[in-house]
């Protein structure tokens, strides 16, 4: 899986790192415990604040989380 995606002009990063590493305004698909705990979806706001978008629901695969992010971005546009 690629680590960087762009959907409708929005940046999405797939990473096992921290949300702190994301650029402001971007979305992240983050591995929990190296992916063993699932995958989380976050957005880093322009001021650096990070919001988890999947409300404690974790995805089993990064592909599922990425599809969720793309669906959210589609609703924003």
């Amino acid at each position: 899986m690629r680590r960087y995606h762009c959907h409708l002009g929005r940046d999405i990063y797939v990473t096992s790192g921290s949300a702190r590493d994301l650029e402001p305004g971007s979305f992240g698909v983050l591995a929990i415990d190296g992916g063993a705990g699932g995958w989380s979806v976050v957005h880093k706001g322009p001021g650096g604040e990070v919001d988890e978008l999947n409300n404690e629901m974790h995805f089993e695969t990064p592909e599922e989380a990425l599809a969720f992010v793309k669906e959210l971005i589609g609703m924003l546009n």
Side-chain angles (χ1 to χ4, degrees), residues 32-53:
I32 301 167
D33 295 329
W39 295 81
S40 179
V41 175
V42 299
H43 178 261
K44 187 168 187 176
E49 67 283 354
V50 176
D51 291 312
E52 187 173 352
L53 302 177

Side-chain angles (χ1 to χ4, degrees), residues 13-68:
Y13 296 91
V14 179
T15 181
S16 60
S18 168
R20 291 182 300 233
D21 301 334
L22 298 175
E23 295 292 321
S26 64
F27 291 85
V29 173
L30 306 178
I32 301 167
D33 295 329
W39 295 81
S40 179
V41 175
V42 299
H43 178 261
K44 187 168 187 176
E49 67 283 354
V50 176
D51 291 312
E52 187 173 352
L53 302 177
N54 50 310
N55 296 326
E56 298 182 23
M57 174 185 75
H58 297 131
F59 299 93
E60 288 188 31
T61 67
E63 292 85 2
E64 291 173 330
L66 183 60
F68 178 79

